[in-house]
Amino acid sequence: MVARYFNPYTDFGFKKLFGEEGSKDLLIDFLNQLLPIHHQIQQLTFKNSENLADTVTERRAIFDIYCESKTGDKFIVEMQKAKIKHFKDRALFYSTFPIREQSEKGDWNFYLLPIYFIAILDFEYDENTTSKFRRDVCLKDQDGDIFFDKLNFKFLQMPLFNKQENELVTHFDKWLYFLKNLESFNHIPAILNEPIFQKGFEIAEISHLNLEQYEQYKKSLVQYLEVKNVFDAAFEEGEKVGIEKGIEKGIEKVAKALKEQNVAIEIIAESTGLSYETINRI
């Protein structure tokens, strides 16, 4: 069945929903479900965060929006889309960008505005520990008292959110249900039939994209599938046949999936690095 709505985990889909001037109200509504009462957002501006990823691989695996409220509070919204090593290290590293950008030349008293790092993950980053769907993290001392309240991390592991439509209670529940299931919907569920989500569905409807946007989405989807499947396969096969073999299997898995979606062989070859002969053989 052809999808009616785009995949929100793709770079294109996430930016279309949350990273454009016309969809600011969606981003504000979503973030206000996560932020404390004293930091509810009324307006925000977008910052260029492309400098956060130094390689093509990283740009495919992550997507960031660096935001600023009208009071000057800064925070990062990060979408992570693959099982990349050292995720926690990366989260801490990326959070330093808005910290350093607050530095001032000349006399500066080092006063910092609050920062929120919010990660919406389509994988489990802490599979070897007690899994928690939502993890709110801040700096605390040995007694559990908050040491510094201006740097906060909020991680959402979407695979662990399993509520069905009849189990949704809060507005936040509805947002999570919307994001996790958007690509599989063929109509607007009754529970999500309210203005903010109606707008989200309208933005996400593939038939509303112009030709250029549709081509951008297809390429973004290919990249998403490539990154996700390659890393998934590498992790699954790594212990058995080695990471290199696992990656090879992952690439072939991606190519097969794209062929089944009737993606042009030229795009498959460009995205996976496989030869036309290999792709035809798969």
Side-chain angles (χ1 to χ4, degrees):
M1 182 179 67
V2 178
R4 179 176 179 180
Y5 302 104
F6 59 53
N7 184 324
Y9 294 108
T10 60
D11 287 354
F12 177 91
F14 193 70
K15 184 174 182 180
K16 197 72 179 168
L17 278 177
F18 290 142
E20 295 186 348
E21 290 294 320
S23 57
K24 275 186 176 181
D25 51 338
L26 297 182
L27 180 59
I28 291 173
D29 189 79
F30 174 72
L31 291 179
N32 279 341
Q33 311 308 308
L34 284 165
L35 299 175
I37 296 295
H38 62 284
H39 279 151
Q40 292 290 286
I41 304 166
Q42 293 184 19
Q43 64 180 19
L44 54 82
T45 57
F46 296 108
K47 299 283 187 178
N48 187 348
S49 60
E50 292 177 358
N51 61 323
L52 295 185
D54 295 326
T55 68
V56 173
T57 300
E58 285 196 45
R59 282 195 291 272
R60 289 181 180 180
I62 62 173
F63 180 71
D64 302 280
I65 303 175
Y66 172 38
C67 307
E68 182 178 341
S69 74
K70 73 172 185 177
T71 60
D73 295 347
K74 299 180 180 181
F75 50 91
I76 295 173
V77 176
E78 173 179 282
M79 172 69 85
Q80 181 91 31
K81 297 185 284 293
K83 292 185 176 181
I84 294 180
K85 290 182 180 179
H86 311 305
F87 166 72
K88 295 178 185 177
D89 301 65
R90 289 168 186 260
L92 184 60
F93 173 70
Y94 294 146
S95 72
T96 66
F97 282 83
I99 293 176
R100 286 182 289 173
E101 287 183 358
Q102 293 185 57
S103 65
E104 299 176 5
K105 293 182 179 180
D107 269 343
W108 176 46
N109 63 5
F110 287 90
Y111 174 81
L112 294 172
L113 296 172
I115 295 168
Y116 294 92
F117 184 98
I118 299 174
I120 308 170
L121 313 174
D122 74 334
F123 70 97
E124 294 180 49
Y125 71 85
D126 59 353
E127 293 171 325
N128 296 323
T129 63
T130 302
S131 293
K132 299 178 182 179
F133 158 67
R134 174 174 174 173
R135 180 162 289 179
D136 293 347
V137 180
C138 64
L139 296 175
K140 296 184 178 181
D141 65 18
Q142 71 275 12
D143 299 316
D145 296 324
I146 294 177
F147 169 73
F148 188 70
D149 65 354
K150 291 185 177 182
L151 180 60
N152 294 272
F153 297 86
K154 298 179 182 292
F155 302 116
L156 305 178
Q157 298 185 89
M158 296 301 287
L160 299 179
F161 179 79
N162 298 308
K163 288 188 177 182
Q164 301 303 309
E165 185 174 349
N166 63 340
E167 299 175 301
L168 306 181
V169 177
T170 65
H171 191 63
F172 186 50
D173 284 346
K174 294 179 183 180
W175 262 114
L176 301 173
Y177 184 70
F178 170 80
L179 289 173
K180 184 168 183 177
N181 299 288
L182 178 58
E183 190 181 20
S184 64
F185 289 135
N186 56 26
H187 66 278
I188 301 178
I191 193 73
L192 299 180
N193 194 19
E194 52 188 81
I196 197 68
F197 296 114
Q198 289 170 353
K199 181 173 181 177
F201 279 108
E202 182 178 357
I203 291 173
E205 188 153 357
I206 294 176
S207 64
H208 291 172
L209 303 177
N210 60 38
L211 182 59
E212 181 181 0
Q213 290 173 329
Y214 181 62
E215 290 301 320
Q216 290 174 352
Y217 171 60
K218 284 201 301 183
K219 289 183 179 180
S220 186
L221 182 61
V222 168
Q223 292 171 349
Y224 167 78
L225 291 172
E226 178 187 357
V227 171
K228 182 173 176 59
N229 283 293
V230 166
F231 277 94
D232 283 352
F235 273 78
E236 292 169 4
E237 300 290 337
E239 293 184 358
K240 301 177 185 177
V241 296
I243 296 299
E244 184 176 348
K245 187 66 176 177
I247 291 176
E248 180 183 332
K249 286 181 175 291
I251 292 174
E252 292 181 357
K253 182 178 178 182
V254 171
K256 182 178 180 181
L258 296 175
K259 282 183 67 177
E260 292 173 351
Q261 295 181 40
N262 297 316
V263 173
I265 190 171
E266 294 83 3
I267 295 178
I268 299 176
E270 179 183 350
S271 300
T272 63
L274 297 176
S275 66
Y276 285 20
E277 180 182 358
T278 301
I279 295 171
N280 288 327
R281 177 171 45 81
I282 293 175

